[in-house]
mmCIF file of all heavy atoms in Angstrom:
data_model
loop_
_atom_site.group_PDB
_atom_site.id
_atom_site.type_symbol
_atom_site.label_atom_id
_atom_site.label_comp_id
_atom_site.label_asym_id
_atom_site.label_seq_id
_atom_site.Cartn_x
_atom_site.Cartn_y
_atom_site.Cartn_z
ATOM 1 N N ARG M 1 -230.231 -43.586 -174.727
ATOM 2 C CA ARG M 1 -229.750 -43.288 -176.029
ATOM 3 C C ARG M 1 -228.249 -43.098 -176.127
ATOM 4 O O ARG M 1 -227.537 -43.427 -177.064
ATOM 5 C CB ARG M 1 -230.325 -41.957 -176.612
ATOM 6 C CG ARG M 1 -231.958 -42.036 -176.776
ATOM 7 C CD ARG M 1 -232.435 -40.810 -177.443
ATOM 8 N NE ARG M 1 -232.171 -39.595 -176.667
ATOM 9 C CZ ARG M 1 -231.474 -38.517 -177.219
ATOM 10 N NH1 ARG M 1 -231.047 -38.630 -178.361
ATOM 11 N NH2 ARG M 1 -231.400 -37.506 -176.407
ATOM 12 N N PHE M 2 -227.752 -42.597 -174.971
ATOM 13 C CA PHE M 2 -226.242 -42.161 -174.926
ATOM 14 C C PHE M 2 -225.606 -43.196 -173.968
ATOM 15 O O PHE M 2 -226.239 -43.617 -172.870
ATOM 16 C CB PHE M 2 -225.975 -40.769 -174.367
ATOM 17 C CG PHE M 2 -226.321 -39.768 -175.333
ATOM 18 C CD1 PHE M 2 -227.062 -40.027 -176.565
ATOM 19 C CD2 PHE M 2 -225.897 -38.381 -175.136
ATOM 20 C CE1 PHE M 2 -227.428 -38.964 -177.262
ATOM 21 C CE2 PHE M 2 -226.310 -37.373 -175.938
ATOM 22 C CZ PHE M 2 -227.072 -37.683 -177.145
ATOM 23 N N THR M 3 -224.277 -43.520 -174.167
ATOM 24 C CA THR M 3 -223.593 -44.503 -173.284
ATOM 25 C C THR M 3 -222.198 -43.874 -173.146
ATOM 26 O O THR M 3 -221.464 -43.660 -174.158
ATOM 27 C CB THR M 3 -223.370 -45.841 -173.806
ATOM 28 O OG1 THR M 3 -224.825 -46.475 -174.098
ATOM 29 C CG2 THR M 3 -222.744 -46.793 -172.842
ATOM 30 N N ILE M 4 -221.882 -43.666 -171.871
ATOM 31 C CA ILE M 4 -220.493 -43.174 -171.560
ATOM 32 C C ILE M 4 -219.722 -44.377 -171.078
ATOM 33 O O ILE M 4 -220.082 -45.225 -170.407
ATOM 34 C CB ILE M 4 -220.437 -42.142 -170.431
ATOM 35 C CG1 ILE M 4 -219.091 -41.448 -170.331
ATOM 36 C CG2 ILE M 4 -220.972 -42.713 -169.084
ATOM 37 C CD1 ILE M 4 -219.126 -40.142 -169.447
ATOM 38 N N SER M 5 -218.374 -44.364 -171.583
ATOM 39 C CA SER M 5 -217.386 -45.392 -171.115
ATOM 40 C C SER M 5 -216.001 -44.798 -171.018
ATOM 41 O O SER M 5 -215.728 -43.623 -171.457
ATOM 42 C CB SER M 5 -217.459 -46.623 -172.154
ATOM 43 O OG SER M 5 -217.000 -46.030 -173.565
ATOM 44 N N ARG M 6 -215.192 -45.644 -170.475
ATOM 45 C CA ARG M 6 -213.812 -44.987 -170.170
ATOM 46 C C ARG M 6 -212.628 -46.043 -170.314
ATOM 47 O O ARG M 6 -212.957 -47.186 -170.025
ATOM 48 C CB ARG M 6 -213.894 -44.472 -168.823
ATOM 49 C CG ARG M 6 -212.479 -43.887 -168.216
ATOM 50 C CD ARG M 6 -212.844 -43.402 -166.894
ATOM 51 N NE ARG M 6 -211.605 -43.186 -165.974
ATOM 52 C CZ ARG M 6 -211.601 -42.840 -164.868
ATOM 53 N NH1 ARG M 6 -212.702 -42.524 -164.170
ATOM 54 N NH2 ARG M 6 -210.439 -42.802 -164.197
ATOM 55 N N ASP M 7 -211.609 -45.729 -170.982
ATOM 56 C CA ASP M 7 -210.436 -46.660 -171.133
ATOM 57 C C ASP M 7 -209.442 -45.968 -170.185
ATOM 58 O O ASP M 7 -208.731 -45.055 -170.428
ATOM 59 C CB ASP M 7 -209.963 -46.654 -172.559
ATOM 60 C CG ASP M 7 -208.779 -47.607 -172.733
ATOM 61 O OD1 ASP M 7 -208.033 -47.810 -171.766
ATOM 62 O OD2 ASP M 7 -208.651 -48.173 -173.780
ATOM 63 N N ASN M 8 -209.227 -46.615 -169.005
ATOM 64 C CA ASN M 8 -208.355 -46.104 -167.990
ATOM 65 C C ASN M 8 -206.917 -46.203 -168.540
ATOM 66 O O ASN M 8 -206.114 -45.162 -168.213
ATOM 67 C CB ASN M 8 -208.448 -46.913 -166.662
ATOM 68 C CG ASN M 8 -209.796 -46.623 -166.030
ATOM 69 O OD1 ASN M 8 -210.312 -45.410 -166.197
ATOM 70 N ND2 ASN M 8 -210.151 -47.616 -165.255
ATOM 71 N N ALA M 9 -206.515 -47.085 -169.267
ATOM 72 C CA ALA M 9 -205.174 -47.194 -169.628
ATOM 73 C C ALA M 9 -204.831 -46.082 -170.609
ATOM 74 O O ALA M 9 -203.648 -45.675 -170.747
ATOM 75 C CB ALA M 9 -204.930 -48.480 -170.444
ATOM 76 N N LYS M 10 -205.736 -45.571 -171.340
ATOM 77 C CA LYS M 10 -205.489 -44.501 -172.318
ATOM 78 C C LYS M 10 -206.002 -43.070 -171.799
ATOM 79 O O LYS M 10 -205.831 -42.223 -172.628
ATOM 80 C CB LYS M 10 -206.222 -44.861 -173.589
ATOM 81 C CG LYS M 10 -205.761 -46.028 -174.222
ATOM 82 C CD LYS M 10 -206.668 -46.221 -175.627
ATOM 83 C CE LYS M 10 -206.071 -47.559 -176.302
ATOM 84 N NZ LYS M 10 -206.902 -47.770 -177.678
ATOM 85 N N ASN M 11 -206.580 -43.100 -170.504
ATOM 86 C CA ASN M 11 -207.036 -41.836 -169.884
ATOM 87 C C ASN M 11 -208.027 -41.135 -171.046
ATOM 88 O O ASN M 11 -208.066 -40.003 -171.262
ATOM 89 C CB ASN M 11 -205.905 -40.842 -169.693
ATOM 90 C CG ASN M 11 -205.121 -41.221 -168.485
ATOM 91 O OD1 ASN M 11 -205.656 -41.798 -167.565
ATOM 92 N ND2 ASN M 11 -203.874 -41.013 -168.499
ATOM 93 N N THR M 12 -208.911 -41.970 -171.464
ATOM 94 C CA THR M 12 -209.879 -41.568 -172.596
ATOM 95 C C THR M 12 -211.195 -41.932 -172.080
ATOM 96 O O THR M 12 -211.508 -43.058 -171.595
ATOM 97 C CB THR M 12 -209.547 -42.255 -173.865
ATOM 98 O OG1 THR M 12 -208.208 -41.821 -174.299
ATOM 99 C CG2 THR M 12 -210.470 -41.829 -174.894
ATOM 100 N N VAL M 13 -212.024 -41.003 -172.370
ATOM 101 C CA VAL M 13 -213.601 -41.174 -172.164
ATOM 102 C C VAL M 13 -214.252 -41.097 -173.448
ATOM 103 O O VAL M 13 -213.878 -40.235 -174.301
ATOM 104 C CB VAL M 13 -214.079 -40.077 -171.095
ATOM 105 C CG1 VAL M 13 -214.007 -38.710 -171.577
ATOM 106 C CG2 VAL M 13 -215.524 -40.534 -170.754
ATOM 107 N N TYR M 14 -215.407 -41.847 -173.587
ATOM 108 C CA TYR M 14 -216.101 -41.903 -174.859
ATOM 109 C C TYR M 14 -217.557 -41.569 -174.530
ATOM 110 O O TYR M 14 -218.094 -41.941 -173.521
ATOM 111 C CB TYR M 14 -216.039 -43.272 -175.453
ATOM 112 C CG TYR M 14 -214.587 -43.707 -175.775
ATOM 113 C CD1 TYR M 14 -214.011 -44.669 -174.899
ATOM 114 C CD2 TYR M 14 -214.025 -43.387 -176.941
ATOM 115 C CE1 TYR M 14 -212.681 -45.054 -175.090
ATOM 116 C CE2 TYR M 14 -212.584 -43.860 -177.143
ATOM 117 C CZ TYR M 14 -211.994 -44.695 -176.271
ATOM 118 O OH TYR M 14 -210.732 -45.077 -176.520
ATOM 119 N N LEU M 15 -218.212 -41.102 -175.556
ATOM 120 C CA LEU M 15 -219.705 -40.946 -175.362
ATOM 121 C C LEU M 15 -220.325 -41.491 -176.754
ATOM 122 O O LEU M 15 -220.089 -40.767 -177.865
ATOM 123 C CB LEU M 15 -220.048 -39.438 -175.339
ATOM 124 C CG LEU M 15 -221.532 -39.195 -175.036
ATOM 125 C CD1 LEU M 15 -222.022 -39.789 -173.611
ATOM 126 C CD2 LEU M 15 -221.897 -37.686 -174.980
ATOM 127 N N GLN M 16 -220.910 -42.593 -176.606
ATOM 128 C CA GLN M 16 -221.639 -43.162 -177.756
ATOM 129 C C GLN M 16 -223.060 -42.551 -177.781
ATOM 130 O O GLN M 16 -223.724 -42.666 -176.782
ATOM 131 C CB GLN M 16 -221.672 -44.654 -177.746
ATOM 132 C CG GLN M 16 -222.382 -45.334 -178.842
ATOM 133 C CD GLN M 16 -221.762 -45.143 -180.196
ATOM 134 O OE1 GLN M 16 -220.560 -45.285 -180.336
ATOM 135 N NE2 GLN M 16 -222.595 -44.801 -181.170
ATOM 136 N N MET M 17 -223.324 -41.882 -178.885
ATOM 137 C CA MET M 17 -224.690 -41.125 -178.953
ATOM 138 C C MET M 17 -225.560 -41.839 -180.088
ATOM 139 O O MET M 17 -225.087 -41.768 -181.263
ATOM 140 C CB MET M 17 -224.470 -39.733 -179.287
ATOM 141 C CG MET M 17 -223.647 -39.036 -178.204
ATOM 142 S SD MET M 17 -223.474 -37.120 -178.452
ATOM 143 C CE MET M 17 -222.539 -37.172 -180.006
ATOM 144 N N ASN M 18 -226.624 -42.382 -179.741
ATOM 145 C CA ASN M 18 -227.476 -43.084 -180.698
ATOM 146 C C ASN M 18 -228.842 -42.391 -180.694
ATOM 147 O O ASN M 18 -229.160 -41.649 -179.686
ATOM 148 C CB ASN M 18 -227.739 -44.590 -180.339
ATOM 149 C CG ASN M 18 -226.396 -45.339 -180.331
ATOM 150 O OD1 ASN M 18 -225.477 -45.028 -181.182
ATOM 151 N ND2 ASN M 18 -226.246 -46.351 -179.473
ATOM 152 N N SER M 19 -229.520 -42.588 -181.758
ATOM 153 C CA SER M 19 -230.938 -42.016 -181.934
ATOM 154 C C SER M 19 -230.827 -40.579 -181.552
ATOM 155 O O SER M 19 -231.792 -40.037 -180.881
ATOM 156 C CB SER M 19 -231.852 -42.743 -180.832
ATOM 157 O OG SER M 19 -231.975 -44.146 -181.082
ATOM 158 N N LEU M 20 -229.997 -39.970 -182.295
ATOM 159 C CA LEU M 20 -229.840 -38.454 -182.066
ATOM 160 C C LEU M 20 -231.071 -37.652 -182.473
ATOM 161 O O LEU M 20 -231.668 -37.941 -183.620
ATOM 162 C CB LEU M 20 -228.477 -38.001 -182.717
ATOM 163 C CG LEU M 20 -227.152 -38.224 -181.983
ATOM 164 C CD1 LEU M 20 -226.017 -38.308 -182.905
ATOM 165 C CD2 LEU M 20 -227.044 -37.385 -180.835
ATOM 166 N N LYS M 21 -231.298 -36.638 -181.829
ATOM 167 C CA LYS M 21 -232.493 -35.760 -182.111
ATOM 168 C C LYS M 21 -231.952 -34.254 -182.284
ATOM 169 O O LYS M 21 -230.800 -34.008 -181.822
ATOM 170 C CB LYS M 21 -233.307 -35.704 -180.866
ATOM 171 C CG LYS M 21 -233.928 -37.057 -180.440
ATOM 172 C CD LYS M 21 -234.715 -37.015 -179.152
ATOM 173 C CE LYS M 21 -235.235 -38.312 -178.659
ATOM 174 N NZ LYS M 21 -236.006 -38.163 -177.504
ATOM 175 N N PRO M 22 -232.652 -33.569 -183.097
ATOM 176 C CA PRO M 22 -232.273 -32.118 -183.216
ATOM 177 C C PRO M 22 -231.963 -31.379 -182.020
ATOM 178 O O PRO M 22 -231.032 -30.604 -181.988
ATOM 179 C CB PRO M 22 -233.576 -31.500 -184.015
ATOM 180 C CG PRO M 22 -234.031 -32.709 -184.700
ATOM 181 C CD PRO M 22 -233.977 -33.839 -183.746
ATOM 182 N N GLU M 23 -232.661 -31.722 -180.880
ATOM 183 C CA GLU M 23 -232.457 -31.080 -179.624
ATOM 184 C C GLU M 23 -231.108 -31.514 -178.961
ATOM 185 O O GLU M 23 -230.852 -30.924 -177.882
ATOM 186 C CB GLU M 23 -233.618 -31.223 -178.647
ATOM 187 C CG GLU M 23 -233.949 -32.685 -178.468
ATOM 188 C CD GLU M 23 -235.229 -33.087 -179.398
ATOM 189 O OE1 GLU M 23 -235.183 -32.629 -180.452
ATOM 190 O OE2 GLU M 23 -236.059 -33.841 -178.855
ATOM 191 N N ASP M 24 -230.440 -32.396 -179.556
ATOM 192 C CA ASP M 24 -229.077 -32.800 -179.084
ATOM 193 C C ASP M 24 -228.056 -31.910 -179.620
ATOM 194 O O ASP M 24 -226.749 -31.922 -179.182
ATOM 195 C CB ASP M 24 -228.707 -34.221 -179.448
ATOM 196 C CG ASP M 24 -229.583 -35.240 -178.685
ATOM 197 O OD1 ASP M 24 -229.780 -35.196 -177.528
ATOM 198 O OD2 ASP M 24 -230.128 -36.205 -179.316
ATOM 199 N N THR M 25 -228.385 -31.049 -180.524
ATOM 200 C CA THR M 25 -227.464 -30.035 -181.141
ATOM 201 C C THR M 25 -226.879 -29.197 -180.052
ATOM 202 O O THR M 25 -227.609 -28.416 -179.460
ATOM 203 C CB THR M 25 -228.097 -29.328 -182.248
ATOM 204 O OG1 THR M 25 -228.548 -30.126 -183.367
ATOM 205 C CG2 THR M 25 -227.155 -28.191 -182.732
ATOM 206 N N ALA M 26 -225.614 -29.200 -180.005
ATOM 207 C CA ALA M 26 -224.870 -28.342 -178.989
ATOM 208 C C ALA M 26 -223.316 -28.425 -179.162
ATOM 209 O O ALA M 26 -222.850 -29.335 -180.002
ATOM 210 C CB ALA M 26 -225.311 -28.769 -177.623
ATOM 211 N N VAL M 27 -222.617 -27.648 -178.467
ATOM 212 C CA VAL M 27 -221.272 -27.858 -178.424
ATOM 213 C C VAL M 27 -221.024 -28.802 -177.148
ATOM 214 O O VAL M 27 -221.584 -28.510 -175.990
ATOM 215 C CB VAL M 27 -220.423 -26.541 -178.012
ATOM 216 C CG1 VAL M 27 -218.863 -26.787 -177.916
ATOM 217 C CG2 VAL M 27 -220.626 -25.629 -179.340
ATOM 218 N N TYR M 28 -220.349 -29.866 -177.281
ATOM 219 C CA TYR M 28 -220.110 -30.794 -176.386
ATOM 220 C C TYR M 28 -218.702 -30.629 -175.738
ATOM 221 O O TYR M 28 -217.694 -30.558 -176.576
ATOM 222 C CB TYR M 28 -220.197 -32.191 -176.916
ATOM 223 C CG TYR M 28 -221.688 -32.593 -177.031
ATOM 224 C CD1 TYR M 28 -222.398 -32.051 -178.005
ATOM 225 C CD2 TYR M 28 -222.263 -33.616 -176.205
ATOM 226 C CE1 TYR M 28 -223.834 -32.345 -178.232
ATOM 227 C CE2 TYR M 28 -223.693 -33.890 -176.429
ATOM 228 C CZ TYR M 28 -224.410 -33.230 -177.349
ATOM 229 O OH TYR M 28 -225.719 -33.609 -177.508
ATOM 230 N N TYR M 29 -218.566 -30.632 -174.491
ATOM 231 C CA TYR M 29 -217.370 -30.319 -173.758
ATOM 232 C C TYR M 29 -217.051 -31.486 -172.823
ATOM 233 O O TYR M 29 -217.863 -32.058 -172.019
ATOM 234 C CB TYR M 29 -217.460 -29.142 -172.807
ATOM 235 C CG TYR M 29 -217.676 -27.797 -173.579
ATOM 236 C CD1 TYR M 29 -219.030 -27.401 -173.711
ATOM 237 C CD2 TYR M 29 -216.633 -27.098 -173.992
ATOM 238 C CE1 TYR M 29 -219.166 -26.184 -174.459
ATOM 239 C CE2 TYR M 29 -216.797 -25.844 -174.703
ATOM 240 C CZ TYR M 29 -218.152 -25.354 -174.851
ATOM 241 O OH TYR M 29 -218.333 -24.295 -175.467
ATOM 242 N N CYS M 30 -215.761 -31.952 -173.013
ATOM 243 C CA CYS M 30 -215.292 -32.974 -172.232
ATOM 244 C C CYS M 30 -214.803 -32.353 -170.777
ATOM 245 O O CYS M 30 -214.415 -31.233 -170.592
ATOM 246 C CB CYS M 30 -213.899 -33.612 -172.706
ATOM 247 S SG CYS M 30 -213.049 -34.801 -171.871
ATOM 248 N N TYR M 31 -215.073 -33.190 -169.752
ATOM 249 C CA TYR M 31 -214.923 -32.783 -168.466
ATOM 250 C C TYR M 31 -214.115 -33.828 -167.603
ATOM 251 O O TYR M 31 -214.181 -35.016 -167.849
ATOM 252 C CB TYR M 31 -216.278 -32.515 -167.735
ATOM 253 C CG TYR M 31 -216.186 -32.582 -166.153
ATOM 254 C CD1 TYR M 31 -215.899 -31.388 -165.478
ATOM 255 C CD2 TYR M 31 -216.356 -33.626 -165.461
ATOM 256 C CE1 TYR M 31 -215.870 -31.261 -164.270
ATOM 257 C CE2 TYR M 31 -216.406 -33.586 -163.976
ATOM 258 C CZ TYR M 31 -216.100 -32.417 -163.354
ATOM 259 O OH TYR M 31 -216.152 -32.339 -162.097
ATOM 260 N N LEU M 32 -213.104 -33.243 -166.858
ATOM 261 C CA LEU M 32 -212.266 -34.128 -166.010
ATOM 262 C C LEU M 32 -212.097 -33.531 -164.603
ATOM 263 O O LEU M 32 -211.835 -32.324 -164.469
ATOM 264 C CB LEU M 32 -210.771 -34.229 -166.583
ATOM 265 C CG LEU M 32 -209.729 -34.835 -165.837
ATOM 266 C CD1 LEU M 32 -209.994 -36.302 -165.695
ATOM 267 C CD2 LEU M 32 -208.377 -34.582 -166.567
ATOM 268 N N ASN M 33 -212.207 -34.374 -163.632
ATOM 269 C CA ASN M 33 -211.987 -33.833 -162.248
ATOM 270 C C ASN M 33 -210.820 -34.636 -161.651
ATOM 271 O O ASN M 33 -210.966 -35.872 -161.512
ATOM 272 C CB ASN M 33 -213.341 -34.059 -161.333
ATOM 273 C CG ASN M 33 -212.985 -33.509 -159.932
ATOM 274 O OD1 ASN M 33 -212.563 -34.299 -159.116
ATOM 275 N ND2 ASN M 33 -213.424 -32.398 -159.673
ATOM 276 N N VAL M 34 -209.772 -33.901 -161.333
ATOM 277 C CA VAL M 34 -208.564 -34.515 -160.705
ATOM 278 C C VAL M 34 -208.276 -33.922 -159.353
ATOM 279 O O VAL M 34 -208.140 -32.581 -159.421
ATOM 280 C CB VAL M 34 -207.489 -34.454 -161.697
ATOM 281 C CG1 VAL M 34 -206.178 -35.019 -160.999
ATOM 282 C CG2 VAL M 34 -207.726 -35.275 -163.002
ATOM 283 N N ARG M 35 -208.423 -34.646 -158.309
ATOM 284 C CA ARG M 35 -208.016 -33.976 -157.023
ATOM 285 C C ARG M 35 -208.903 -32.798 -156.802
ATOM 286 O O ARG M 35 -208.347 -31.662 -156.312
ATOM 287 C CB ARG M 35 -206.657 -33.792 -156.849
ATOM 288 C CG ARG M 35 -205.721 -35.075 -156.888
ATOM 289 C CD ARG M 35 -204.182 -34.804 -156.624
ATOM 290 N NE ARG M 35 -203.518 -36.047 -156.495
ATOM 291 C CZ ARG M 35 -202.108 -36.080 -156.343
ATOM 292 N NH1 ARG M 35 -201.488 -35.013 -156.300
ATOM 293 N NH2 ARG M 35 -201.626 -37.226 -156.189
ATOM 294 N N SER M 36 -210.201 -32.707 -157.052
ATOM 295 C CA SER M 36 -211.025 -31.690 -156.767
ATOM 296 C C SER M 36 -210.829 -30.498 -157.795
ATOM 297 O O SER M 36 -211.534 -29.444 -157.546
ATOM 298 C CB SER M 36 -210.943 -31.189 -155.368
ATOM 299 O OG SER M 36 -211.304 -32.208 -154.522
ATOM 300 N N PHE M 37 -210.049 -30.669 -158.785
ATOM 301 C CA PHE M 37 -209.906 -29.613 -159.809
ATOM 302 C C PHE M 37 -210.649 -30.017 -161.073
ATOM 303 O O PHE M 37 -210.512 -31.208 -161.393
ATOM 304 C CB PHE M 37 -208.416 -29.232 -160.170
ATOM 305 C CG PHE M 37 -207.690 -28.574 -158.899
ATOM 306 C CD1 PHE M 37 -206.981 -29.341 -158.066
ATOM 307 C CD2 PHE M 37 -207.661 -27.092 -158.931
ATOM 308 C CE1 PHE M 37 -206.259 -28.661 -157.056
ATOM 309 C CE2 PHE M 37 -207.025 -26.555 -157.908
ATOM 310 C CZ PHE M 37 -206.311 -27.238 -156.967
ATOM 311 N N ASP M 38 -211.368 -28.986 -161.623
ATOM 312 C CA ASP M 38 -212.219 -29.263 -162.823
ATOM 313 C C ASP M 38 -211.360 -28.815 -164.044
ATOM 314 O O ASP M 38 -210.763 -27.741 -164.022
ATOM 315 C CB ASP M 38 -213.484 -28.561 -162.778
ATOM 316 C CG ASP M 38 -214.313 -29.180 -161.759
ATOM 317 O OD1 ASP M 38 -214.198 -30.345 -161.323
ATOM 318 O OD2 ASP M 38 -215.331 -28.352 -161.278
ATOM 319 N N TYR M 39 -211.333 -29.645 -165.108
ATOM 320 C CA TYR M 39 -210.672 -29.279 -166.262
ATOM 321 C C TYR M 39 -211.648 -29.550 -167.472
ATOM 322 O O TYR M 39 -212.604 -30.336 -167.545
ATOM 323 C CB TYR M 39 -209.466 -30.182 -166.530
ATOM 324 C CG TYR M 39 -208.421 -29.910 -165.569
ATOM 325 C CD1 TYR M 39 -208.395 -30.799 -164.340
ATOM 326 C CD2 TYR M 39 -207.368 -28.938 -165.551
ATOM 327 C CE1 TYR M 39 -207.426 -30.705 -163.465
ATOM 328 C CE2 TYR M 39 -206.361 -28.842 -164.709
ATOM 329 C CZ TYR M 39 -206.493 -29.674 -163.600
ATOM 330 O OH TYR M 39 -205.447 -29.505 -162.599
ATOM 331 N N TRP M 40 -211.535 -28.740 -168.488
ATOM 332 C CA TRP M 40 -212.546 -28.697 -169.564
ATOM 333 C C TRP M 40 -211.794 -28.827 -170.948
ATOM 334 O O TRP M 40 -210.656 -28.253 -171.144
ATOM 335 C CB TRP M 40 -213.339 -27.409 -169.533
ATOM 336 C CG TRP M 40 -214.159 -27.301 -168.407
ATOM 337 C CD1 TRP M 40 -213.771 -26.664 -167.200
ATOM 338 C CD2 TRP M 40 -215.489 -27.845 -168.228
ATOM 339 N NE1 TRP M 40 -214.861 -26.735 -166.357
ATOM 340 C CE2 TRP M 40 -215.900 -27.558 -166.751
ATOM 341 C CE3 TRP M 40 -216.350 -28.620 -168.964
ATOM 342 C CZ2 TRP M 40 -217.211 -27.858 -166.364
ATOM 343 C CZ3 TRP M 40 -217.634 -28.945 -168.490
ATOM 344 C CH2 TRP M 40 -217.927 -28.639 -167.070
ATOM 345 N N GLY M 41 -212.357 -29.509 -171.860
ATOM 346 C CA GLY M 41 -211.865 -29.389 -173.243
ATOM 347 C C GLY M 41 -212.297 -28.266 -174.016
ATOM 348 O O GLY M 41 -213.039 -27.421 -173.403
ATOM 349 N N GLN M 42 -211.911 -28.016 -175.238
ATOM 350 C CA GLN M 42 -212.080 -27.021 -176.015
ATOM 351 C C GLN M 42 -213.592 -26.990 -176.779
ATOM 352 O O GLN M 42 -214.059 -25.945 -177.062
ATOM 353 C CB GLN M 42 -211.147 -26.754 -177.111
ATOM 354 C CG GLN M 42 -211.324 -27.595 -178.320
ATOM 355 C CD GLN M 42 -210.965 -29.077 -178.108
ATOM 356 O OE1 GLN M 42 -210.523 -29.482 -177.033
ATOM 357 N NE2 GLN M 42 -211.039 -29.911 -179.187
ATOM 358 N N GLY M 43 -214.299 -28.210 -176.577
ATOM 359 C CA GLY M 43 -215.555 -28.253 -177.168
ATOM 360 C C GLY M 43 -215.570 -28.746 -178.657
ATOM 361 O O GLY M 43 -214.645 -28.546 -179.317
ATOM 362 N N THR M 44 -216.478 -29.616 -178.812
ATOM 363 C CA THR M 44 -216.760 -30.137 -180.160
ATOM 364 C C THR M 44 -218.141 -30.002 -180.669
ATOM 365 O O THR M 44 -219.042 -30.307 -179.773
ATOM 366 C CB THR M 44 -216.236 -31.607 -180.403
ATOM 367 O OG1 THR M 44 -216.300 -32.019 -181.709
ATOM 368 C CG2 THR M 44 -217.015 -32.612 -179.538
ATOM 369 N N GLN M 45 -218.408 -29.406 -181.838
ATOM 370 C CA GLN M 45 -219.785 -29.304 -182.168
ATOM 371 C C GLN M 45 -220.526 -30.392 -182.762
ATOM 372 O O GLN M 45 -219.876 -31.228 -183.540
ATOM 373 C CB GLN M 45 -219.901 -28.188 -183.409
ATOM 374 C CG GLN M 45 -221.211 -27.882 -183.861
ATOM 375 C CD GLN M 45 -221.963 -27.190 -182.880
ATOM 376 O OE1 GLN M 45 -221.663 -26.079 -182.309
ATOM 377 N NE2 GLN M 45 -223.384 -27.543 -182.870
ATOM 378 N N VAL M 46 -221.764 -30.762 -182.255
ATOM 379 C CA VAL M 46 -222.632 -31.733 -182.804
ATOM 380 C C VAL M 46 -223.898 -31.110 -183.299
ATOM 381 O O VAL M 46 -224.427 -30.460 -182.512
ATOM 382 C CB VAL M 46 -222.886 -32.786 -181.640
ATOM 383 C CG1 VAL M 46 -223.928 -33.702 -182.061
ATOM 384 C CG2 VAL M 46 -221.704 -33.512 -181.152
ATOM 385 N N THR M 47 -224.049 -31.422 -184.529
ATOM 386 C CA THR M 47 -225.304 -30.835 -185.201
ATOM 387 C C THR M 47 -226.181 -31.941 -185.650
ATOM 388 O O THR M 47 -225.656 -32.826 -186.458
ATOM 389 C CB THR M 47 -224.886 -29.836 -186.174
ATOM 390 O OG1 THR M 47 -224.182 -28.821 -185.745
ATOM 391 C CG2 THR M 47 -226.228 -29.200 -186.863
ATOM 392 N N VAL M 48 -227.383 -31.982 -185.148
ATOM 393 C CA VAL M 48 -228.395 -33.029 -185.804
ATOM 394 C C VAL M 48 -229.379 -32.380 -186.618
ATOM 395 O O VAL M 48 -230.201 -31.519 -185.978
ATOM 396 C CB VAL M 48 -229.049 -33.733 -184.490
ATOM 397 C CG1 VAL M 48 -229.869 -34.782 -185.075
ATOM 398 C CG2 VAL M 48 -227.918 -34.331 -183.553
#
């Protein structure tokens, strides 16, 4: 149902979410690992 992809030139990651279900409702956080350090986005709400 979901597909992750990445544009290296833009340092951007995408998550295409199809056939969404109510149980997919959550705050979604972006994650990045650089040289063993983890970084997190502020979160974006998805409500189904």
Side-chain angles (χ1 to χ4, degrees):
R1 300 188 298 122
F2 291 11
T3 302
I4 190 169
S5 60
R6 181 175 155 183
D7 185 332
N8 291 330
K10 296 181 180 179
N11 289 326
T12 298
V13 63
Y14 304 96
L15 186 67
Q16 178 66 44
M17 304 185 292
N18 299 328
S19 302
L20 282 160
K21 304 175 181 180
E23 51 264 44
D24 294 317
T25 296
V27 177
Y28 283 70
Y29 295 91
C30 180
Y31 165 80
L32 169 70
N33 182 274
V34 175
R35 294 183 175 180
S36 300
F37 287 95
D38 293 335
Y39 298 93
W40 298 92
Q42 79 282 2
T44 185
Q45 177 71 46
V46 171
T47 301
V48 185

